[in-house]
Amino acid sequence: MKTHSRLLIAILITLAVVPSLAWHTGSAQNNQQEARGKDQEKFRKSKKPVREQYIVVLNSETSADEVEPLANEFLGKHGGTARHIYKHAIKGFSIQLPEPAAMALSRDPRVAYVEEDTEATFSRTISTSSWSLTRIDQRTNIGNSYYLSNVEEGTGVHAYILDTGIRAGHHQFGTGSHNRASADADFVWWNYTNGNDCDGHGTSVASILGGFFFGSAKDVRLHGVRIGDCIGFTTAATIVAGVDWVTANHVKPALVNMSVGIPADPVFSTSVEDAIRRSITQGITYVVSAGNGPADVNGIVPARMPEVITVGASTEADSMASFSNFGPGVDLFAPGVNMQTASIIDHNGNGIPDDVTGPMEGTSLSAPLVAGVVARFLNIVPNAAPSAVQGALLNSATLNVLSNLGPGSPNRLLFSEVRHGFLGQQIRSIGEGSTNVDSGVFLNPGQWLAMSGIGEIWAGVPFTSNNGPQDRK
């Protein structure tokens, strides 16, 4: 009996101890998992990393004056080579150093996170008659040969082209004292050209935004901010440097065009997103290309950001372009196929920078078309906040004319008379036949009020959605 009793007690004790050991083991595992989670949050991997290059983002309370001393301190402690210093859009710097040192750096309490630098892809234009301007100034696709440029052409508005640079002397941007383009900054440290475009992408984009023949805003001031090299290669760190410079040096009213994309982390916000978000709070409107996939923009930075205006590409037949990215993150579509642009190549051999490309396609061309319309709107409403610009653009878009849209995509097509989407919220309802009721809208000489639908102007002139003063291209 005693032996049996002892055995029973031993079993009971063992059973009592086992759960206790299991609990302690589980607690240790949870602590390890929590530590790993914190490490992953502080040291962030990218999908297309640039070997041994990192973006260090400091805590938000870090002042601009503290950034360089901290960068020097970390360089002294962990080694490496600093490339860019960020003081405005975010606080931090980019650095080249081995991964173990970068991981150690990420654990410093003064560091918000360290992110692997990543390759970024410009939404390339591909060789394929600028029908685009004709399409965006009318509600229906009737194929006339007019562009309703009206009186606002982006005068006084500053457009910053974050791209491969700009060939500022191209005749599309004016000549002599009337030149509206400049190469303002160059952050491509491995392939410095003083901002001059040696790839051609940036010049093409700038000409669709503000070129004399191809641009949707023919008098906007164009600023080249070079973030891509001669073969269109760039990185997240270089993009952040460009955003940081614009945030510090922009002149209002200001907008940014970015036709570039990065594969996005599904969980964490990236340094590019954090920088752009901060820049937008300074009153700068950002227009970005959806990218060429086709894929859902939810996986692309900065296209997935709700704060930016994300643009997909449409065709002459009012269909989504087969290459265009799509999804709920797209704000609207704009023409992006069979478009001529300014070229950096002397095709005609005359030694004058006046050449044009053959027909091109890509969401890279859709975004600047929208950016030019944004410039025209800011010409009229220069103090409009980025959210108001985005709202006016979407409110004025032509609805339900597009086909073959990707899943979740909005059926919105760019309409160039975007100011009326803004003014329309203020116009009084006036009964038919009334001729002496103040509409509440003030028009300067030479301006006219865009109206949709079928009806009569008070003077008895029949109108449709496509009439009004028209300028031939």
Side-chain angles (χ1 to χ4, degrees):
M1 288 292 296
K2 288 182 179 178
T3 303
H4 179 73
S5 176
R6 288 194 193 98
L7 181 60
L8 180 61
I9 293 170
I11 292 172
L12 288 171
I13 291 172
T14 303
L15 290 174
V17 170
V18 169
S20 176
L21 289 173
W23 184 86
H24 283 295
T25 303
S27 177
Q29 289 175 343
N30 288 338
N31 289 338
Q32 290 173 356
Q33 289 173 353
E34 184 178 346
R36 280 197 297 269
K38 288 182 178 178
D39 283 346
Q40 289 174 352
E41 184 175 347
K42 293 267 286 181
F43 185 78
R44 303 179 182 179
K45 295 280 191 175
S46 72
K47 293 186 177 181
K48 295 177 67 177
V50 180
R51 186 173 178 271
E52 296 190 343
Q53 289 187 197
Y54 302 91
I55 301 169
V56 181
V57 179
L58 302 172
N59 291 332
S60 57
E61 61 268 20
T62 306
S63 70
D65 293 336
E66 294 176 303
V67 174
E68 287 191 55
L70 280 173
N72 289 329
E73 178 185 333
F74 290 139
L75 285 168
K77 183 177 180 180
H78 299 283
T81 303
R83 291 299 181 187
H84 301 292
I85 299 292
Y86 313 128
K87 294 183 178 182
H88 307 282
I90 58 173
K91 307 298 192 301
F93 54 95
S94 65
I95 189 171
Q96 288 181 306
L97 79 171
E99 182 174 301
M103 293 184 72
L105 173 57
S106 72
R107 298 187 187 103
D108 191 288
R110 294 167 293 181
V111 173
Y113 60 89
V114 173
E115 175 184 285
E116 282 185 323
D117 199 359
T118 182
E119 293 183 24
T121 304
F122 287 97
S123 305
R124 302 301 300 178
T125 52
I126 306 167
S127 293
T128 87
S129 70
S130 290
W131 60 278
S132 55
L133 295 178
T134 297
R135 181 64 189 93
I136 65 174
D137 71 355
Q138 53 196 0
R139 294 297 187 185
T140 58
N141 195 357
I142 61 173
N144 67 26
S145 59
Y146 301 103
Y147 174 50
L148 308 184
S149 59
N150 212 334
V151 295
E152 75 277 6
E153 288 288 12
T155 306
V157 178
H158 297 263
Y160 296 85
I161 318 297
L162 269 65
D163 215 291
T164 61
I166 187 170
R167 189 65 60 88
H170 199 287
H171 286 194
Q172 279 290 312
F173 311 130
T175 59
S177 61
H178 299 291
N179 186 282
R180 297 176 289 106
S182 58
D184 287 10
D186 191 335
F187 295 99
V188 186
W189 55 267
W190 65 92
N191 177 223
Y192 189 78
T193 66
N194 200 31
N196 189 45
D197 184 10
C198 51
D199 174 83
H201 189 273
T203 299
S204 288
V205 166
S207 70
I208 294 296
L209 197 165
F212 182 74
F213 289 127
F214 312 123
S216 50
K218 302 179 186 300
D219 199 37
V220 66
R221 180 68 170 82
L222 299 163
H223 302 265
V225 180
R226 187 169 180 260
I227 59 169
D229 66 14
C230 295
I231 58 172
F233 174 80
T234 190
T235 70
T238 312
I239 294 170
V240 173
V243 172
D244 193 66
W245 185 89
V246 171
T247 306
N249 296 282
H250 69 278
V251 179
K252 288 187 174 68
L255 65 98
V256 168
N257 185 91
M258 295 177 65
S259 295
V260 65
I262 303 170
D265 186 290
V267 177
F268 298 117
S269 175
T270 68
S271 56
V272 170
E273 289 172 290
D274 290 343
I276 291 174
R277 198 167 284 121
R278 171 61 181 164
S279 191
I280 289 172
T281 66
Q282 303 305 300
I284 307 169
T285 298
Y286 276 71
V287 181
V288 307
S289 63
N292 305 334
D296 195 307
V297 296
N298 188 50
I300 306 295
V301 169
R304 72 176 182 180
M305 296 179 64
E307 300 93 339
V308 305
I309 298 169
T310 300
V311 187
S314 64
T315 71
E316 293 136 307
D318 282 351
S319 173
M320 188 184 87
S322 60
F323 56 79
S324 179
N325 284 345
F326 55 83
V330 173
D331 286 291
L332 78 170
F333 291 83
V337 303
N338 293 332
M339 296 166 67
Q340 283 189 306
T341 72
S343 174
I344 64 170
I345 300 172
D346 186 10
H347 293 290
N348 58 23
N350 65 358
I352 299 172
D354 60 357
D355 298 88
V356 300
T357 66
M360 310 288 284
E361 64 180 24
T363 57
S364 274
L365 304 180
S366 305
L369 200 65
V370 172
V373 173
V374 167
R376 291 180 57 189
F377 177 69
L378 289 172
N379 185 173
I380 299 297
V381 193
N383 295 322
S387 58
V389 174
Q390 187 178 37
L393 196 73
L394 301 188
N395 286 339
S396 67
T398 300
L399 302 178
N400 302 320
V401 297
L402 297 171
S403 61
N404 298 323
L405 292 171
S409 301
N411 202 320
R412 298 191 196 102
L413 179 66
L414 175 66
F415 184 57
S416 60
E417 305 308 299
V418 66
R419 71 190 184 284
H420 306 301
F422 188 79
L423 292 174
Q425 302 169 32
Q426 307 170 29
I427 298 175
R428 298 181 189 177
S429 177
I430 302 174
E432 185 178 355
S434 297
T435 59
N436 59 355
V437 178
D438 185 356
S439 67
V441 178
F442 177 77
L443 299 177
N444 290 312
Q447 290 183 316
W448 59 285
L449 184 61
M451 308 178 78
S452 60
I454 304 299
E456 277 192 347
I457 299 174
W458 67 270
V461 180
F463 73 86
T464 70
S465 58
N466 295 304
N467 78 345
Q470 305 184 43
D471 293 335
R472 288 187 180 273
K473 292 187 293 179

